[in-house]
Amino acid sequence: MSPPSLIDAHPNLSDAAPVALSYELFPPRSPAAAETLWTTIRELETTEPDYVSVTYGASGSNRDTAVELINRLLLETTLRPLAHLTCVGNSPEELAAIVGELLDTGVRGILALRGDLPKDASAPAAGSLRYAQDLIELIRRVEQRRSALLCAGKIAVGVAAYPARHPESPSEEHDVEVLLAKQRSGADFAITQVFFETRHYADLLTRARRAGVTIPIIPGVMPLTSLRRLNRLGQLTGVEPAPELMAKLAAADTDLERLHIGVDATVELANAALDAGAPGLHIYTFNEHQSALEVLDKLNLPRRSRPGNQHSRRESVARIQLAS
């Protein structure tokens, strides 16, 4: 699996380089949630994304469910899964076994993350990995041992990047130094955490390139349609959502009005990132497809030619508009 954002258009085939497209999904927590998720998966599949990332809870609390979802994606859909993997609290032996299991399943892309620190502030178990770059190096060692089984192929390893300062970081410059260390350890590409200001992605890109980061940095964009979700993410990331947007969402009379306000704000963020040179977009779907497809419809991204799928894409958008 090639790094998902390194897709270049042949100059003779298109005037605009295609934009890599990906989504984030998480394992369902109930049968009802599973039904909703699979409706979303089928809708998103019509857009033929380059990959979908599959996350799991803190400390791998629902890793088995995540692996089950990845298996189904590989067997029952055309989607390419990128498996989240965190290292905090896990030994190298445990993590090597998990990487091996993912590769045996058919996964060829891993998003290597540190993960959340224990809420009780307890020290990590002796010998456990503590940083994302340690996990990247472990993945590369497993890959080397399995190179024959992988037909000498390469695992695509992604990492996180932070447009605004990480809540545990002393500075934005330190965040870039960490990203550079991840690149040196073998990362192929980065996906940013959620950001709320149009300048954030461009500023990150400028800092990163000046520091020597050369890997693609893909903006992670969340449809900004839910007040509750925005407040929650603001608390988690330490970055306050734009007050003007929050006021507009709070003043909206209907869910449909909030949807349109949030989609317009998301499109503005995405366009600013693309104008700054973003090679793709990663959409945090929260297992919902409507707002994600609305955003894509307004962006009209340059994509690789997919003539066989245009009819299903139009039908999908039409269903959304009718439902609204």
Side-chain angles (χ1 to χ4, degrees):
M1 175 177 176
S2 300
S5 54
L6 297 178
I7 302 170
D8 298 318
H10 191 287
N12 295 326
L13 297 180
S14 174
D15 293 330
V19 173
L21 174 64
S22 56
Y23 305 105
E24 179 179 284
L25 304 171
F26 58 81
R29 297 183 177 93
S30 68
E35 185 175 347
T36 299
L37 170 61
W38 277 93
T39 298
T40 288
I41 287 170
R42 294 306 180 190
E43 293 289 344
L44 297 180
E45 190 177 15
T46 67
T47 69
E48 296 195 5
D50 296 281
Y51 62 96
V52 293
S53 69
V54 177
T55 185
Y56 55 77
S59 303
S61 55
N62 58 347
R63 185 178 289 131
D64 290 345
T65 313
V67 172
E68 181 183 345
L69 175 57
I70 288 169
N71 268 317
R72 287 195 63 187
L73 290 172
L74 286 165
L75 293 172
E76 301 176 26
T77 77
T78 59
L79 300 174
R80 302 179 186 94
L82 176 76
H84 287 222
L85 183 59
T86 60
C87 64
V88 166
N90 288 286
S91 69
E93 293 76 18
E94 291 168 335
L95 289 165
I98 293 168
V99 173
E101 179 187 3
L102 290 171
L103 295 180
D104 290 342
T105 298
V107 168
R108 293 297 179 264
I110 296 174
L111 191 63
L113 306 167
R114 185 197 70 175
D116 296 331
L117 295 174
K119 289 187 173 65
D120 60 4
S122 59
S128 63
L129 298 190
R130 300 183 63 182
Y131 301 106
Q133 51 263 48
D134 299 325
L135 177 57
I136 298 164
E137 292 167 4
L138 181 143
I139 292 169
R140 293 303 183 204
R141 290 196 297 273
V142 173
E143 173 188 71
Q144 188 174 26
R145 292 199 300 268
R146 288 170 165 256
S147 61
L149 294 175
L150 296 172
C151 299
K154 191 171 184 287
I155 303 166
V157 178
V159 295
Y162 297 89
R165 183 179 62 84
H166 188 286
E168 297 172 23
S169 171
S171 67
E172 293 175 337
E173 290 71 25
H174 179 264
D175 289 336
V176 170
E177 290 173 6
V178 171
L179 181 57
L180 185 59
K182 293 174 183 177
Q183 174 180 286
R184 289 171 177 157
S185 293
D188 294 304
F189 64 100
I191 299 173
T192 77
Q193 295 286 54
V194 170
F195 57 99
F196 302 114
E197 300 288 345
T198 54
R199 64 178 175 82
H200 280 168
Y201 175 80
D203 289 351
L204 167 64
L205 205 59
T206 298
R207 293 193 303 273
R209 296 304 182 232
R210 285 176 179 170
V213 176
T214 58
I215 58 175
I217 301 175
I218 304 166
V221 178
M222 178 188 83
L224 306 171
T225 56
S226 166
L227 270 171
R228 176 187 58 80
R229 195 169 286 154
L230 283 170
N231 279 318
R232 176 63 176 151
L233 277 172
Q235 294 168 5
L236 290 173
T237 62
V239 181
E240 290 299 319
E244 300 84 358
L245 172 62
M246 300 297 280
K248 285 182 181 179
L249 290 172
D253 294 323
T254 65
D255 288 342
L256 180 58
E257 187 179 352
R258 275 185 287 275
L259 174 68
H260 292 325
I261 291 169
V263 165
D264 287 345
T266 308
V267 168
E268 184 179 2
L269 274 185
N271 275 329
L274 292 169
D275 289 343
L281 290 175
H282 185 70
I283 301 179
Y284 297 104
T285 68
F286 292 88
N287 289 4
E288 299 169 1
H289 62 274
Q290 180 173 358
S291 54
L293 293 181
E294 289 271 6
V295 167
L296 289 180
D297 192 40
K298 287 199 171 188
L299 283 172
N300 193 25
L301 300 178
R303 297 281 288 150
R304 289 169 293 175
S305 178
R306 293 176 169 91
N309 226 23
Q310 295 303 310
H311 183 61
S312 60
R313 172 74 182 98
R314 284 195 297 270
E315 283 182 342
S316 177
V317 173
R319 283 197 298 274
I320 289 171
Q321 291 170 341
L322 287 171
S324 300

